[in-house]
Amino acid sequence: MFCLTTATDHAWAPLALADLPRLLADHAHCELKAASNALSLVPRLVEFPDVTRALSELAREELVHYEMVLEVLQKRGLRLGPPLEDRYAVDLRKALQQLPKNSAIGGAVDRLVVAALIEARSCERFKLLIEALEASGADGEVLALYTELFPSEARHYVTFVDLAATCLGGDRAAVEARVEALAVLEGRIVAALAGDGTRSVVHG
């Protein structure tokens, strides 16, 4: 899907759904992190007002998604709890150091590229969850949640790539090349974390 080079094992979704409270709680934290990440980029990109406006809008949307997941948790009497260790995101940011230096691509642009990869993986995972829920015929409420959120993840991937290209004066080819290079490393990270099962909606 999109730029991903390594597919998630189809066994991941049934394992994740077997521990639904943990999955939903981690999903809520992921939405909060996504909102925080978008907002943290705003002061670094003030010279691009259209980009900062888009990031602000995206952050608001991520907070709405957080509230949607939180509502499902609360209706079931479940607690959010502390966030899980986010090895995937940490390792993905470290992987940037393995890529060739590019004087035109600054740190903020690379963070947009990382965000695009995370959204692509999240989109893929949501699709797997939807397929598993449809196949089982169980938990229509959670199926409706992921069905509603799925298109947003796909749109956010495109948004981050577009914003990175804007920051590079419209050089989309350079951004796509950076995304493709990082996607190879991202695939290795996902493969290494595959044994963690229900670790996260975004990564496993």
Side-chain angles (χ1 to χ4, degrees), residues 77-161:
L78 301 173
R79 296 176 60 86
L80 180 59
L84 296 175
E85 179 189 9
D86 199 350
R87 282 180 53 200
Y88 170 83
V90 171
D91 289 351
L92 190 55
R93 293 188 186 101
K94 288 181 179 177
L96 281 171
Q97 301 172 15
Q98 301 178 42
L99 298 183
K101 298 294 183 181
N102 186 324
S103 59
I105 297 178
V109 173
D110 264 342
R111 283 186 58 183
L112 291 169
V113 169
V114 168
L117 260 296
I118 291 175
E119 295 290 347
R121 181 61 64 183
S122 179
C123 186
E124 185 224 22
R125 292 286 169 96
F126 282 16
K127 185 173 186 292
L128 291 177
L129 291 171
I130 291 168
E131 291 172 349
L133 287 163
E134 287 177 338
S136 67
D139 214 321
E141 181 181 41
V142 175
L143 173 59
L145 173 68
Y146 284 107
T147 300
E148 183 173 354
L149 295 183
F150 174 73
S152 297
E153 303 304 303
R155 178 165 43 80
H156 290 173
Y157 166 78
V158 175
T159 295
F160 279 118
V161 172

Side-chain angles (χ1 to χ4, degrees), residues 48-91:
F48 303 104
D50 290 342
V51 171
T52 58
R53 187 179 302 109
L55 287 169
S56 177
E57 292 172 355
L58 192 148
R60 284 197 295 272
E61 186 174 8
E62 299 288 19
L63 286 175
V64 170
H65 294 172
Y66 160 73
E67 292 166 358
M68 291 170 63
V69 181
L70 187 63
E71 181 179 1
V72 174
L73 280 165
Q74 292 177 331
K75 285 172 63 176
R76 296 168 184 235
L78 301 173
R79 296 176 60 86
L80 180 59
L84 296 175
E85 179 189 9
D86 199 350
R87 282 180 53 200
Y88 170 83
V90 171
D91 289 351

